[in-house]
């Protein structure tokens, strides 16, 4: 049986990536519909060897649609996801609109696939923040082996996490530097070309940014509420791919060799860790790949049972589009979609 799938935000970075991944993984869809706002009506987007004409979200009837992959921002999702879910269509939402709702499961399939059954309360499933998604894929098998007490993470996040305009700004600023032109800053608070900015999302009262808070809240929801986590999120002049420096303190002893063996066997993880020049992964190399790559696994001798590692992933794929499609695959494989229609 094939399913009918709608992709909302089909003209954006993540929406286009979702369409590519649905085709690459031969998702069992009889029909895929590309949706966006009215200003995108009639635009064309690629889906495998097909071209889809974009339809408008405002006038689309979801009653005969099985899955909606939503990637149109938080405000659009808040308005539309409950309406779509009430028609029996399961929404897999890439925004932060429902991640912290107790009635909405927050899912990374390699980490907590069993929690997906909770979608039936609202017919909505949340995708985590891109920086959290790759982190928990790496932490999950280590937590099972030695129980994580505390995590300190510093992120090096690419501009694609802030959308197409942010990518355009990095490009135009870089060109301006080389041509002695004017460096214009619109999307970011400071120049991003040849610079790093320790500020992603809005500042909160405690001095952390919302991006840093998301990593804490989402890790606790998906992995274990007892884990203590502190984060510093930094934007770097890279187009695609997030990197993270991760320091973990465990309750039980775990050696770098044991951690390497555990991570090599973990779903969604590839270990590239040779202690030599180039024996590690970078965001450039991870772009376009599905895996979460782990490198630089080593002991932190300053704490008991401590490890450091380097974590890299394509934020548009595992951090967003791929994870959403994997959630849809869980729904299909566990035959949960019919239940959604019956509940509506």
């Amino acid at each position: 049986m094939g399913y009918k799938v709608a992709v909302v935000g089909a003209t954006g970075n993540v929406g286009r990536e979702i369409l590519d991944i649905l085709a690459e993984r031969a998702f069992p869809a009889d029909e895929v519909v590309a949706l966006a706002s009215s200003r995108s009506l009639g635009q064309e987007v690629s889906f495998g060897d097909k071209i889809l004409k974009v339809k408008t979200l405002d006038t689309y009837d979801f009653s005969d649609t099985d899955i909606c992959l939503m990637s149109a921002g938080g405000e659009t999702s808040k308005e539309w996801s409950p309406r779509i879910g009430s028609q029996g269509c399961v929404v897999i939402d890439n925004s932060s609109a429902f991640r912290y709702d107790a009635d909405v499961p927050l899912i990374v399939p390699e980490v907590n696939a069993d929690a997906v059954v909770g979608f039936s309360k609202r017919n909505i499933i949340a995708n985590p923040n891109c920086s959290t998604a790759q982190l928990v894929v790496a932490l999950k098998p280590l937590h099972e082996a030695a129980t994580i007490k505390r995590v300190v993470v510093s992120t090096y996040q690419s501009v694609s996490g802030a959308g197409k305009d942010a990518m355009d700004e990095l490009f135009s600023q870089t060109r301006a530097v080389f041509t002695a032109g004017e460096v214009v800053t619109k999307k970011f608070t400071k120049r991003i070309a040849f610079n790093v900015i320790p500020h992603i999302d809005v500042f909160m009262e405690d001095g952390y940014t919302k991006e840093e808070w998301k990593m804490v809240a989402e890790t606790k929801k998906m992995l274990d509420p007892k884990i203590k986590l502190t984060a510093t999120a930094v934007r770097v002049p890279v187009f695609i791919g997030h990197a993270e420096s991760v320091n973990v303190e465990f309750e039980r002893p775990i050696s770098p060799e044991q951690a390497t063996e555990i991570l090599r066997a973990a779903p969604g993880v590839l270990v590239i860790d040779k202690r030599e020049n180039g024996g590690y992964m970078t965001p450039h190399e991870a772009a376009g790949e599905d895996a979460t790559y782990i490198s630089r696994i080593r002991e932190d001798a300053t704490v008991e049972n401590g490890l450091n590692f380097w974590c890299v992933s394509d934020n548009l794929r595992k951090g967003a589009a791929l994870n959403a499609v994997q959630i849809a695959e869980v729904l299909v494989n566990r035959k949960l979609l019919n239940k959604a229609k019956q509940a509506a």
Side-chain angles (χ1 to χ4, degrees):
M1 174 185 174
Y3 297 91
K4 186 172 182 181
V5 178
V7 178
V8 177
T11 57
N13 281 346
V14 175
R16 290 175 187 273
E17 199 77 28
I18 287 172
L19 290 168
D20 287 345
I21 291 170
L22 286 169
E24 284 172 20
R25 295 172 73 92
F27 187 84
D30 285 341
E31 184 179 356
V32 174
V33 181
L35 300 173
S37 65
S38 56
R39 66 178 179 272
S40 297
L41 178 64
Q43 277 192 34
E44 294 183 340
V45 290
S46 298
F47 171 59
D49 57 1
K50 299 177 184 176
I51 298 294
L52 305 179
K53 282 209 180 236
V54 175
K55 300 179 180 179
T56 59
L57 171 62
D58 291 353
T59 58
Y60 186 74
D61 180 4
F62 285 89
S63 60
D64 65 345
T65 303
D66 299 290
I67 299 171
C68 171
L69 297 162
M70 173 76 69
S71 189
E75 292 308 309
T76 299
S77 183
K78 284 176 187 174
E79 179 184 353
W80 282 95
S81 291
R83 292 195 215 174
I84 296 168
S86 69
Q87 295 182 60
C89 176
V90 181
V91 179
I92 301 171
D93 180 34
N94 265 302
S95 80
S96 61
F98 298 97
R99 288 177 189 157
Y100 317 108
D101 187 319
D103 290 334
V104 175
L106 179 66
I107 302 293
V108 171
E110 297 93 336
V111 174
N112 64 334
D114 288 347
V116 78
V117 295
F119 82 90
S120 58
K121 292 176 182 175
R122 300 191 65 179
N123 271 356
I124 302 172
I125 301 169
N127 222 24
N129 190 37
C130 48
S131 52
T132 311
Q134 68 187 70
L135 178 66
V136 294
V137 167
L139 292 182
K140 167 72 169 180
L142 298 175
H143 185 53
E144 288 183 340
T147 308
I148 293 170
K149 288 172 62 176
R150 181 172 182 260
V151 180
V152 181
V153 57
S154 297
T155 73
Y156 306 77
Q157 296 178 228
S158 66
V159 295
S160 58
K164 184 180 181 300
D165 289 346
M167 297 176 77
D168 290 344
E169 186 160 312
L170 172 58
F171 179 83
S172 63
Q173 286 185 1
T174 302
R175 182 172 56 189
V177 169
F178 280 111
T179 60
E182 182 185 2
V183 176
V184 178
T185 297
K186 294 180 181 177
K187 185 72 179 178
F188 296 111
T189 56
K190 296 198 175 189
R191 162 179 150 172
I192 185 62
F194 303 97
N195 198 16
V196 297
I197 304 171
H199 174 196
I200 300 177
D201 213 325
V202 299
F203 276 98
M204 303 173 72
E205 286 186 7
D206 60 3
Y208 285 85
T209 64
K210 190 75 177 288
E211 182 82 1
E212 293 156 353
W213 175 84
K214 288 174 188 174
M215 295 188 76
V216 176
E218 293 171 17
T219 299
K220 287 176 176 289
K221 182 171 179 176
M222 287 187 288
L223 198 53
D224 188 336
K226 297 190 192 73
I227 291 175
K228 295 178 180 178
L229 188 145
T230 185
T232 301
V234 181
R235 190 72 73 188
V236 297
V238 171
F239 283 108
I240 295 173
H242 289 356
E244 297 170 351
S245 172
V246 187
N247 175 269
V248 190
E249 185 180 351
F250 297 89
E251 287 188 6
R252 298 187 296 279
I254 180 170
S255 69
E257 293 74 21
Q258 288 171 320
T260 298
E261 187 177 333
I262 289 164
L263 288 166
R264 285 194 191 282
V269 173
L270 279 177
V271 176
I272 308 292
D273 191 10
K274 296 178 181 177
R275 295 176 181 181
E276 60 186 45
N277 292 346
Y280 41 79
M281 283 295 284
T282 63
H284 173 71
E285 296 158 299
E289 301 293 329
D290 289 347
T292 295
Y293 292 92
I294 307 298
S295 307
R296 305 285 325 275
I297 304 166
R298 62 206 188 277
E299 180 187 4
D300 174 9
T302 67
V303 295
E304 192 173 2
N305 307 328
L307 287 179
N308 290 304
F309 63 86
W310 175 249
C311 175
V312 181
S313 190
D314 182 328
N315 56 294
L316 297 180
R317 291 181 76 88
K318 187 54 193 170
L322 172 64
N323 199 73
V325 174
Q326 287 177 309
I327 293 170
E329 290 171 346
V330 171
L331 293 172
V332 168
N333 294 337
R334 300 192 180 196
K335 299 179 171 56
L336 294 170
L337 289 171
N338 288 338
K339 293 180 182 178
K341 290 292 183 189
Q342 290 165 9

PDB file of all heavy atoms in Angstrom, residues 140-168:
ATOM      1  N   LYS A 140      23.179   8.349  23.169  1.00  0.00           N
ATOM      2  CA  LYS A 140      22.294   7.240  23.550  1.00  0.00           C
ATOM      3  C   LYS A 140      23.058   5.938  23.853  1.00  0.00           C
ATOM      4  O   LYS A 140      22.882   5.356  24.934  1.00  0.00           O
ATOM      5  CB  LYS A 140      21.258   7.017  22.444  1.00  0.00           C
ATOM      6  CG  LYS A 140      20.471   5.723  22.532  1.00  0.00           C
ATOM      7  CD  LYS A 140      19.464   5.719  23.649  1.00  0.00           C
ATOM      8  CE  LYS A 140      18.534   4.505  23.519  1.00  0.00           C
ATOM      9  NZ  LYS A 140      17.529   4.468  24.591  1.00  0.00           N
ATOM     10  N   PRO A 141      23.891   5.420  22.936  1.00  0.00           N
ATOM     11  CA  PRO A 141      24.565   4.144  23.236  1.00  0.00           C
ATOM     12  C   PRO A 141      25.558   4.258  24.385  1.00  0.00           C
ATOM     13  O   PRO A 141      25.753   3.293  25.139  1.00  0.00           O
ATOM     14  CB  PRO A 141      25.269   3.798  21.920  1.00  0.00           C
ATOM     15  CG  PRO A 141      25.401   5.087  21.186  1.00  0.00           C
ATOM     16  CD  PRO A 141      24.209   5.900  21.575  1.00  0.00           C
ATOM     17  N   LEU A 142      26.159   5.432  24.547  1.00  0.00           N
ATOM     18  CA  LEU A 142      27.094   5.625  25.656  1.00  0.00           C
ATOM     19  C   LEU A 142      26.346   5.686  26.988  1.00  0.00           C
ATOM     20  O   LEU A 142      26.824   5.164  28.009  1.00  0.00           O
ATOM     21  CB  LEU A 142      27.901   6.908  25.444  1.00  0.00           C
ATOM     22  CG  LEU A 142      28.784   6.949  24.187  1.00  0.00           C
ATOM     23  CD1 LEU A 142      29.420   8.329  24.040  1.00  0.00           C
ATOM     24  CD2 LEU A 142      29.847   5.861  24.235  1.00  0.00           C
ATOM     25  N   HIS A 143      25.173   6.310  26.971  1.00  0.00           N
ATOM     26  CA  HIS A 143      24.345   6.385  28.179  1.00  0.00           C
ATOM     27  C   HIS A 143      23.897   4.988  28.612  1.00  0.00           C
ATOM     28  O   HIS A 143      23.903   4.664  29.804  1.00  0.00           O
ATOM     29  CB  HIS A 143      23.135   7.266  27.902  1.00  0.00           C
ATOM     30  CG  HIS A 143      22.260   7.524  29.098  1.00  0.00           C
ATOM     31  ND1 HIS A 143      22.737   8.016  30.291  1.00  0.00           N
ATOM     32  CD2 HIS A 143      20.912   7.356  29.276  1.00  0.00           C
ATOM     33  CE1 HIS A 143      21.743   8.139  31.158  1.00  0.00           C
ATOM     34  NE2 HIS A 143      20.623   7.748  30.566  1.00  0.00           N
ATOM     35  N   GLU A 144      23.539   4.167  27.661  1.00  0.00           N
ATOM     36  CA  GLU A 144      23.133   2.790  27.981  1.00  0.00           C
ATOM     37  C   GLU A 144      24.282   1.990  28.578  1.00  0.00           C
ATOM     38  O   GLU A 144      24.078   1.122  29.433  1.00  0.00           O
ATOM     39  CB  GLU A 144      22.620   2.082  26.721  1.00  0.00           C
ATOM     40  CG  GLU A 144      21.266   2.592  26.254  1.00  0.00           C
ATOM     41  CD  GLU A 144      20.750   1.830  25.046  1.00  0.00           C
ATOM     42  OE1 GLU A 144      21.568   1.194  24.349  1.00  0.00           O
ATOM     43  OE2 GLU A 144      19.530   1.892  24.798  1.00  0.00           O
ATOM     44  N   ALA A 145      25.499   2.309  28.159  1.00  0.00           N
ATOM     45  CA  ALA A 145      26.661   1.540  28.620  1.00  0.00           C
ATOM     46  C   ALA A 145      27.174   1.986  29.979  1.00  0.00           C
ATOM     47  O   ALA A 145      27.596   1.152  30.792  1.00  0.00           O
ATOM     48  CB  ALA A 145      27.787   1.648  27.593  1.00  0.00           C
ATOM     49  N   ALA A 146      27.171   3.294  30.252  1.00  0.00           N
ATOM     50  CA  ALA A 146      27.835   3.767  31.471  1.00  0.00           C
ATOM     51  C   ALA A 146      27.073   4.847  32.223  1.00  0.00           C
ATOM     52  O   ALA A 146      27.566   5.344  33.239  1.00  0.00           O
ATOM     53  CB  ALA A 146      29.237   4.283  31.113  1.00  0.00           C
ATOM     54  N   THR A 147      25.890   5.219  31.806  1.00  0.00           N
ATOM     55  CA  THR A 147      25.012   6.226  32.420  1.00  0.00           C
ATOM     56  C   THR A 147      25.674   7.608  32.517  1.00  0.00           C
ATOM     57  O   THR A 147      26.603   7.826  33.294  1.00  0.00           O
ATOM     58  CB  THR A 147      24.519   5.784  33.824  1.00  0.00           C
ATOM     59  OG1 THR A 147      23.954   4.483  33.728  1.00  0.00           O
ATOM     60  CG2 THR A 147      23.474   6.741  34.338  1.00  0.00           C
ATOM     61  N   ILE A 148      25.164   8.511  31.722  1.00  0.00           N
ATOM     62  CA  ILE A 148      25.710   9.868  31.653  1.00  0.00           C
ATOM     63  C   ILE A 148      25.216  10.699  32.838  1.00  0.00           C
ATOM     64  O   ILE A 148      24.029  10.737  33.144  1.00  0.00           O
ATOM     65  CB  ILE A 148      25.297  10.545  30.336  1.00  0.00           C
ATOM     66  CG1 ILE A 148      25.961   9.833  29.149  1.00  0.00           C
ATOM     67  CG2 ILE A 148      25.657  12.025  30.346  1.00  0.00           C
ATOM     68  CD1 ILE A 148      25.428  10.260  27.801  1.00  0.00           C
ATOM     69  N   LYS A 149      26.149  11.384  33.498  1.00  0.00           N
ATOM     70  CA  LYS A 149      25.807  12.322  34.564  1.00  0.00           C
ATOM     71  C   LYS A 149      25.711  13.750  34.033  1.00  0.00           C
ATOM     72  O   LYS A 149      24.778  14.481  34.341  1.00  0.00           O
ATOM     73  CB  LYS A 149      26.891  12.282  35.659  1.00  0.00           C
ATOM     74  CG  LYS A 149      26.895  11.028  36.496  1.00  0.00           C
ATOM     75  CD  LYS A 149      28.118  10.981  37.415  1.00  0.00           C
ATOM     76  CE  LYS A 149      28.140  12.119  38.414  1.00  0.00           C
ATOM     77  NZ  LYS A 149      29.290  11.999  39.356  1.00  0.00           N
ATOM     78  N   ARG A 150      26.705  14.142  33.217  1.00  0.00           N
ATOM     79  CA  ARG A 150      26.810  15.545  32.820  1.00  0.00           C
ATOM     80  C   ARG A 150      27.434  15.652  31.439  1.00  0.00           C
ATOM     81  O   ARG A 150      28.338  14.893  31.103  1.00  0.00           O
ATOM     82  CB  ARG A 150      27.664  16.300  33.843  1.00  0.00           C
ATOM     83  CG  ARG A 150      27.842  17.787  33.564  1.00  0.00           C
ATOM     84  CD  ARG A 150      28.531  18.464  34.746  1.00  0.00           C
ATOM     85  NE  ARG A 150      28.674  19.905  34.527  1.00  0.00           N
ATOM     86  CZ  ARG A 150      29.805  20.490  34.124  1.00  0.00           C
ATOM     87  NH1 ARG A 150      30.890  19.757  33.915  1.00  0.00           N
ATOM     88  NH2 ARG A 150      29.858  21.798  33.950  1.00  0.00           N
ATOM     89  N   VAL A 151      26.928  16.606  30.664  1.00  0.00           N
ATOM     90  CA  VAL A 151      27.456  16.866  29.323  1.00  0.00           C
ATOM     91  C   VAL A 151      27.752  18.352  29.190  1.00  0.00           C
ATOM     92  O   VAL A 151      26.938  19.198  29.567  1.00  0.00           O
ATOM     93  CB  VAL A 151      26.433  16.459  28.223  1.00  0.00           C
ATOM     94  CG1 VAL A 151      26.999  16.748  26.840  1.00  0.00           C
ATOM     95  CG2 VAL A 151      26.042  14.991  28.345  1.00  0.00           C
ATOM     96  N   VAL A 152      28.922  18.672  28.656  1.00  0.00           N
ATOM     97  CA  VAL A 152      29.276  20.042  28.290  1.00  0.00           C
ATOM     98  C   VAL A 152      29.509  20.038  26.785  1.00  0.00           C
ATOM     99  O   VAL A 152      30.387  19.331  26.295  1.00  0.00           O
ATOM    100  CB  VAL A 152      30.543  20.526  29.017  1.00  0.00           C
ATOM    101  CG1 VAL A 152      30.864  21.965  28.622  1.00  0.00           C
ATOM    102  CG2 VAL A 152      30.385  20.402  30.531  1.00  0.00           C
ATOM    103  N   VAL A 153      28.715  20.808  26.052  1.00  0.00           N
ATOM    104  CA  VAL A 153      28.821  20.799  24.593  1.00  0.00           C
ATOM    105  C   VAL A 153      28.976  22.216  24.052  1.00  0.00           C
ATOM    106  O   VAL A 153      28.289  23.138  24.497  1.00  0.00           O
ATOM    107  CB  VAL A 153      27.606  20.078  23.946  1.00  0.00           C
ATOM    108  CG1 VAL A 153      26.287  20.707  24.364  1.00  0.00           C
ATOM    109  CG2 VAL A 153      27.715  20.053  22.425  1.00  0.00           C
ATOM    110  N   SER A 154      29.913  22.367  23.135  1.00  0.00           N
ATOM    111  CA  SER A 154      30.067  23.616  22.385  1.00  0.00           C
ATOM    112  C   SER A 154      29.793  23.294  20.922  1.00  0.00           C
ATOM    113  O   SER A 154      30.374  22.348  20.379  1.00  0.00           O
ATOM    114  CB  SER A 154      31.482  24.178  22.535  1.00  0.00           C
ATOM    115  OG  SER A 154      31.745  24.506  23.881  1.00  0.00           O
ATOM    116  N   THR A 155      28.904  24.055  20.305  1.00  0.00           N
ATOM    117  CA  THR A 155      28.533  23.767  18.926  1.00  0.00           C
ATOM    118  C   THR A 155      29.228  24.730  17.960  1.00  0.00           C
ATOM    119  O   THR A 155      29.558  25.860  18.309  1.00  0.00           O
ATOM    120  CB  THR A 155      27.013  23.875  18.710  1.00  0.00           C
ATOM    121  OG1 THR A 155      26.627  25.261  18.724  1.00  0.00           O
ATOM    122  CG2 THR A 155      26.236  23.121  19.770  1.00  0.00           C
ATOM    123  N   TYR A 156      29.424  24.223  16.743  1.00  0.00           N
ATOM    124  CA  TYR A 156      29.979  25.016  15.644  1.00  0.00           C
ATOM    125  C   TYR A 156      28.993  24.851  14.492  1.00  0.00           C
ATOM    126  O   TYR A 156      29.124  23.923  13.686  1.00  0.00           O
ATOM    127  CB  TYR A 156      31.369  24.507  15.261  1.00  0.00           C
ATOM    128  CG  TYR A 156      32.345  24.435  16.425  1.00  0.00           C
ATOM    129  CD1 TYR A 156      32.278  23.406  17.365  1.00  0.00           C
ATOM    130  CD2 TYR A 156      33.337  25.394  16.582  1.00  0.00           C
ATOM    131  CE1 TYR A 156      33.157  23.328  18.435  1.00  0.00           C
ATOM    132  CE2 TYR A 156      34.230  25.335  17.650  1.00  0.00           C
ATOM    133  CZ  TYR A 156      34.132  24.296  18.574  1.00  0.00           C
ATOM    134  OH  TYR A 156      35.012  24.231  19.626  1.00  0.00           O
ATOM    135  N   GLN A 157      27.985  25.722  14.442  1.00  0.00           N
ATOM    136  CA  GLN A 157      26.829  25.495  13.589  1.00  0.00           C
ATOM    137  C   GLN A 157      26.877  26.293  12.290  1.00  0.00           C
ATOM    138  O   GLN A 157      27.127  27.497  12.286  1.00  0.00           O
ATOM    139  CB  GLN A 157      25.540  25.813  14.364  1.00  0.00           C
ATOM    140  CG  GLN A 157      25.340  24.861  15.546  1.00  0.00           C
ATOM    141  CD  GLN A 157      24.102  25.163  16.362  1.00  0.00           C
ATOM    142  OE1 GLN A 157      24.167  25.225  17.587  1.00  0.00           O
ATOM    143  NE2 GLN A 157      22.964  25.344  15.713  1.00  0.00           N
ATOM    144  N   SER A 158      26.584  25.605  11.192  1.00  0.00           N
ATOM    145  CA  SER A 158      26.639  26.218   9.871  1.00  0.00           C
ATOM    146  C   SER A 158      25.483  27.191   9.670  1.00  0.00           C
ATOM    147  O   SER A 158      24.458  27.134  10.346  1.00  0.00           O
ATOM    148  CB  SER A 158      26.595  25.137   8.796  1.00  0.00           C
ATOM    149  OG  SER A 158      25.352  24.470   8.809  1.00  0.00           O
ATOM    150  N   VAL A 159      25.657  28.064   8.683  1.00  0.00           N
ATOM    151  CA  VAL A 159      24.657  29.097   8.436  1.00  0.00           C
ATOM    152  C   VAL A 159      23.364  28.546   7.845  1.00  0.00           C
ATOM    153  O   VAL A 159      22.307  29.176   7.965  1.00  0.00           O
ATOM    154  CB  VAL A 159      25.215  30.207   7.516  1.00  0.00           C
ATOM    155  CG1 VAL A 159      26.351  30.945   8.197  1.00  0.00           C
ATOM    156  CG2 VAL A 159      25.663  29.656   6.162  1.00  0.00           C
ATOM    157  N   SER A 160      23.411  27.358   7.239  1.00  0.00           N
ATOM    158  CA  SER A 160      22.179  26.792   6.669  1.00  0.00           C
ATOM    159  C   SER A 160      21.128  26.525   7.724  1.00  0.00           C
ATOM    160  O   SER A 160      19.936  26.471   7.424  1.00  0.00           O
ATOM    161  CB  SER A 160      22.481  25.506   5.898  1.00  0.00           C
ATOM    162  OG  SER A 160      23.106  24.552   6.731  1.00  0.00           O
ATOM    163  N   GLY A 161      21.557  26.402   8.985  1.00  0.00           N
ATOM    164  CA  GLY A 161      20.608  26.243  10.070  1.00  0.00           C
ATOM    165  C   GLY A 161      19.723  27.455  10.262  1.00  0.00           C
ATOM    166  O   GLY A 161      18.670  27.378  10.891  1.00  0.00           O
ATOM    167  N   ALA A 162      20.139  28.597   9.712  1.00  0.00           N
ATOM    168  CA  ALA A 162      19.343  29.829   9.795  1.00  0.00           C
ATOM    169  C   ALA A 162      18.614  30.121   8.491  1.00  0.00           C
ATOM    170  O   ALA A 162      18.024  31.201   8.350  1.00  0.00           O
ATOM    171  CB  ALA A 162      20.242  30.999  10.176  1.00  0.00           C
ATOM    172  N   GLY A 163      18.665  29.193   7.522  1.00  0.00           N
ATOM    173  CA  GLY A 163      17.880  29.346   6.301  1.00  0.00           C
ATOM    174  C   GLY A 163      18.669  29.842   5.106  1.00  0.00           C
ATOM    175  O   GLY A 163      19.860  30.172   5.196  1.00  0.00           O
ATOM    176  N   LYS A 164      17.971  29.916   3.979  1.00  0.00           N
ATOM    177  CA  LYS A 164      18.608  30.291   2.708  1.00  0.00           C
ATOM    178  C   LYS A 164      19.173  31.711   2.753  1.00  0.00           C
ATOM    179  O   LYS A 164      20.256  31.980   2.211  1.00  0.00           O
ATOM    180  CB  LYS A 164      17.605  30.154   1.560  1.00  0.00           C
ATOM    181  CG  LYS A 164      18.207  30.440   0.189  1.00  0.00           C
ATOM    182  CD  LYS A 164      17.187  30.298  -0.913  1.00  0.00           C
ATOM    183  CE  LYS A 164      17.819  30.557  -2.275  1.00  0.00           C
ATOM    184  NZ  LYS A 164      18.404  31.905  -2.398  1.00  0.00           N
ATOM    185  N   ASP A 165      18.458  32.636   3.381  1.00  0.00           N
ATOM    186  CA  ASP A 165      18.950  34.017   3.457  1.00  0.00           C
ATOM    187  C   ASP A 165      20.289  34.085   4.180  1.00  0.00           C
ATOM    188  O   ASP A 165      21.155  34.902   3.834  1.00  0.00           O
ATOM    189  CB  ASP A 165      17.937  34.916   4.168  1.00  0.00           C
ATOM    190  CG  ASP A 165      16.693  35.168   3.328  1.00  0.00           C
ATOM    191  OD1 ASP A 165      16.729  34.884   2.118  1.00  0.00           O
ATOM    192  OD2 ASP A 165      15.686  35.646   3.889  1.00  0.00           O
ATOM    193  N   ALA A 166      20.466  33.243   5.181  1.00  0.00           N
ATOM    194  CA  ALA A 166      21.723  33.210   5.922  1.00  0.00           C
ATOM    195  C   ALA A 166      22.859  32.676   5.052  1.00  0.00           C
ATOM    196  O   ALA A 166      23.993  33.174   5.112  1.00  0.00           O
ATOM    197  CB  ALA A 166      21.570  32.349   7.175  1.00  0.00           C
ATOM    198  N   MET A 167      22.563  31.666   4.241  1.00  0.00           N
ATOM    199  CA  MET A 167      23.574  31.145   3.321  1.00  0.00           C
ATOM    200  C   MET A 167      23.960  32.214   2.295  1.00  0.00           C
ATOM    201  O   MET A 167      25.138  32.396   1.973  1.00  0.00           O
ATOM    202  CB  MET A 167      23.050  29.890   2.624  1.00  0.00           C
ATOM    203  CG  MET A 167      22.764  28.738   3.579  1.00  0.00           C
ATOM    204  SD  MET A 167      22.044  27.299   2.768  1.00  0.00           S
ATOM    205  CE  MET A 167      23.487  26.587   1.966  1.00  0.00           C
ATOM    206  N   ASP A 168      22.958  32.933   1.806  1.00  0.00           N
ATOM    207  CA  ASP A 168      23.222  34.008   0.845  1.00  0.00           C
ATOM    208  C   ASP A 168      24.078  35.106   1.480  1.00  0.00           C
ATOM    209  O   ASP A 168      24.952  35.690   0.825  1.00  0.00           O
ATOM    210  CB  ASP A 168      21.907  34.611   0.331  1.00  0.00           C
ATOM    211  CG  ASP A 168      21.136  33.660  -0.563  1.00  0.00           C
ATOM    212  OD1 ASP A 168      21.736  32.670  -1.044  1.00  0.00           O
ATOM    213  OD2 ASP A 168      19.918  33.897  -0.764  1.00  0.00           O
TER     214      ASP A 168
END
